[in-house]
Amino acid sequence: MSTPSLGPAVDDTPRPVPARIPIEGHYTRLEPLTAAHAAELWQAAQGAESTWTYMNIGPFPSEAAFSKHIATLASQHDPVAWAIRSKANGRALGWLTLRDIQPANAAIELGNMWFSPALQRSPVGTEAMFLLLRLAASLGYRRIVWKTDALNAASRRAAERLGFTFDGILRNHMIVKGRSRDSAMFSMTEAEAPRSLAILEAWLAPENFDAAGVQKRSLSAISSEAKEKQLADA
C-alpha cells in the first residue's frame, strides 16, 4: 500500500490574539476603537455615501445609528478594531480590523475596513494597513487573508498593491443588502510577508516624499525593483 501524501510539518503552537493597543506609524496612529471615536468618524463620513457600496453596513440613517454600530464594533474581541488617525491633521478618518482570528491555524484576516475619501490611496491609509500586516506577521500568523466583493475593483487592486496573492472566487458566498455576492479571496503567506512588508516600508519611508508630500518613487516602481533584484539573486 502506498504512503498517503501529507503536507509539510509546521509549528502548530497557537498564535497570540492581537492586543488592543495603540500602534504608531510615521503618518498614522492606530487607536483601539471606542465609542468615543463615533463623533469624529461620523463627520468623516459626511458626503461619502459611495464608500459604503460594497460593505454589509451603511450608509447610516442617523448619527445615533452610526454611533451604535461603532460602540458594537468596539466591544468585540473578533474583530479587533482600530480607528485610523492622521498625524497631519489629528482627525480620525476611518477604521480597520483584524478579524476571523484563528490562533490554532495561524490564520487571520485584514478586513472590515471603512476608509473615508481622505484616506483612500494616501500614505495614512496605506500605512494603517501596513501596521496591521506587520503586527499579524510579527505574531507568527502563517496566512493573512484579504476578502472582498468580487465586483469591487478598487479593493482588488489594493490587495495586489499591498502584496497579496489572488486565491480565487467564492461563488454565491454571501447575501449582502439583499444581493448575491461572490467574494474574491487573496492571501499573504508567512514566506511572502517579509518581501511585501519591506516594499511597503520602503515606500512609506519619509525620505520617499518631498516637502509637499509627493512621492518620489511609486509603490509599483519599488515593487518592480525588488522583483528584479530577487530574480537577479536567484
Side-chain angles (χ1 to χ4, degrees):
M1 180 181 293
S2 61
T3 302
S5 297
L6 297 171
V10 296
D11 177 5
D12 61 359
T13 304
R15 281 22 176 201
V17 173
R20 286 174 47 84
I21 57 173
I23 306 173
E24 297 283 345
H26 297 299
Y27 322 102
T28 313
R29 176 178 168 84
L30 295 184
E31 301 172 354
L33 187 69
T34 70
H37 288 105
E40 281 185 279
L41 292 170
W42 174 251
Q43 288 302 314
Q46 299 312 293
E49 285 75 13
S50 64
T51 58
W52 308 103
T53 299
Y54 293 108
M55 298 190 69
N56 61 2
I57 55 169
F60 293 85
S62 66
E63 184 173 359
F66 180 84
S67 297
K68 182 178 180 180
H69 173 74
I70 295 298
T72 299
L73 181 59
S75 71
Q76 297 173 338
H77 298 288
D78 186 353
V80 182
W82 284 265
I84 304 167
R85 187 174 299 281
S86 166
K87 288 188 171 182
N89 59 31
R91 292 183 296 170
L93 298 172
W95 72 77
L96 77 175
T97 80
L98 290 173
R99 63 179 304 277
D100 192 14
I101 303 166
Q102 301 179 36
N105 291 320
I108 197 167
E109 179 181 337
L110 175 63
N112 195 356
M113 294 180 275
W114 178 77
F115 281 19
S116 67
L119 278 182
Q120 293 170 8
R121 296 190 65 82
S122 72
V124 177
T126 299
E127 186 175 54
M129 294 183 286
F130 163 77
L131 291 173
L132 288 196
L133 287 172
R134 186 177 67 182
L135 173 61
S138 72
L139 294 175
Y141 282 86
R142 301 178 60 244
R143 173 178 168 84
I144 307 172
V145 172
W146 179 290
K147 178 173 83 264
T148 188
D149 191 310
L151 298 175
N152 190 346
S155 181
R156 294 178 68 162
R157 287 194 300 270
E160 293 173 348
R161 182 170 173 263
L162 291 168
F164 284 84
T165 297
F166 178 59
D167 286 337
I169 302 291
L170 297 182
R171 299 177 299 163
N172 287 0
H173 180 223
M174 301 171 70
I175 297 175
V176 177
K177 298 175 182 174
R179 295 180 179 272
S180 179
R181 168 177 147 165
D182 295 345
S183 292
M185 302 295 295
F186 296 80
S187 66
M188 183 184 298
T189 68
E190 63 179 342
E192 298 162 343
R195 178 180 178 275
S196 295
L197 291 173
I199 291 169
L200 288 167
E201 191 169 25
W203 183 77
L204 289 163
E207 56 268 25
N208 190 44
F209 294 88
D210 64 20
V214 177
Q215 66 180 3
K216 297 176 182 177
R217 292 193 299 161
S218 69
L219 187 56
S220 60
I222 294 172
S223 181
S224 295
E225 290 170 12
K227 187 174 182 178
E228 289 173 5
K229 184 178 186 302
Q230 184 180 38
L231 290 173
D233 293 342

